[in-house]
Amino acid sequence: MKNVNKTKKLIFDAAIKSFSQKGFHKTTVDEIAESAGVAKGTLYYHFKSKEEIFKFIIDEGTRIIEEEILDRTEHLEDPVEKLRTICYVHIELVTKHVEFFKTILSQMWGNEERQNQLRDVLAGYFKLIEKYLTEAADEKYIKDKNMEIIAFNFFGVMISTIIYSLMHREKNVKDLADTFVDFIMGGIGK
């Protein structure tokens, strides 16, 4: 986590762990502070509420994913290879940070403010996926249909693949990503 001080990093890790294990509503600020090894006052110095902590972990976690994707795709020319790389990054990050993704998935539904904020952050991330899909369509690798819907579908199928990878940890990340991209390209490819 670049540009995040040590205390915020401790709170970030503790909050993700608590949210993924107990859920948002059952997690308390006291538990997050204790797990992070910081005083409650220190936690409140950095964050006004549990909701603000949640927003921070979603913003920061998504930023990390986007940066990793951009770093790993910037040198690639082939749009299909870029899509494949997105899959590699996701599968690698999910298996490494399963609690973060568990927290995201558990909070995607509902109409509370944090859930709306989460969907807004994810919408920005889906725009990044849509950009890569549009590049592939421009190069005639995939059908030029509604890229916004395809980006959501791409993410949904990728999440299913990630769940599979978590259940079958012995599977190779590259093999899973290759299978996923081949499957997706068969559906949206030309």
Side-chain angles (χ1 to χ4, degrees), residues 45-130:
Y45 174 79
H46 293 284
F47 301 99
K48 294 176 186 161
S49 65
K50 183 169 65 167
E51 288 78 10
E52 194 173 292
I53 295 169
F54 181 81
K55 177 142 178 35
F56 173 72
I57 67 170
I58 296 307
D59 289 344
E60 191 63 24
T62 305
R63 185 190 61 73
I64 291 167
I65 295 167
E66 290 176 355
E67 282 182 3
E68 184 70 20
I69 287 171
L70 293 171
D71 287 348
R72 301 243 316 253
T73 59
E74 70 182 340
H75 68 283
L76 299 174
E77 297 292 324
D78 181 9
V80 175
E81 202 53 40
K82 288 180 183 181
L83 294 174
R84 192 177 310 278
T85 300
I86 291 172
C87 297
Y88 294 149
V89 168
H90 266 276
I91 293 170
E92 289 169 5
L93 290 176
V94 168
T95 53
K96 201 164 142 183
H97 305 287
V98 69
E99 291 174 332
F100 173 73
F101 286 92
K102 185 178 171 185
T103 300
I104 286 178
L105 292 175
S106 73
Q107 293 298 310
M108 287 187 67
W109 294 269
N111 287 315
E112 294 180 33
E113 181 63 24
R114 77 180 171 288
Q115 294 158 330
N116 292 326
Q117 290 172 339
L118 170 60
R119 286 191 294 273
D120 288 344
V121 169
L122 288 177
Y125 173 67
F126 293 144
K127 286 289 182 197
L128 178 63
I129 294 174
E130 187 178 337

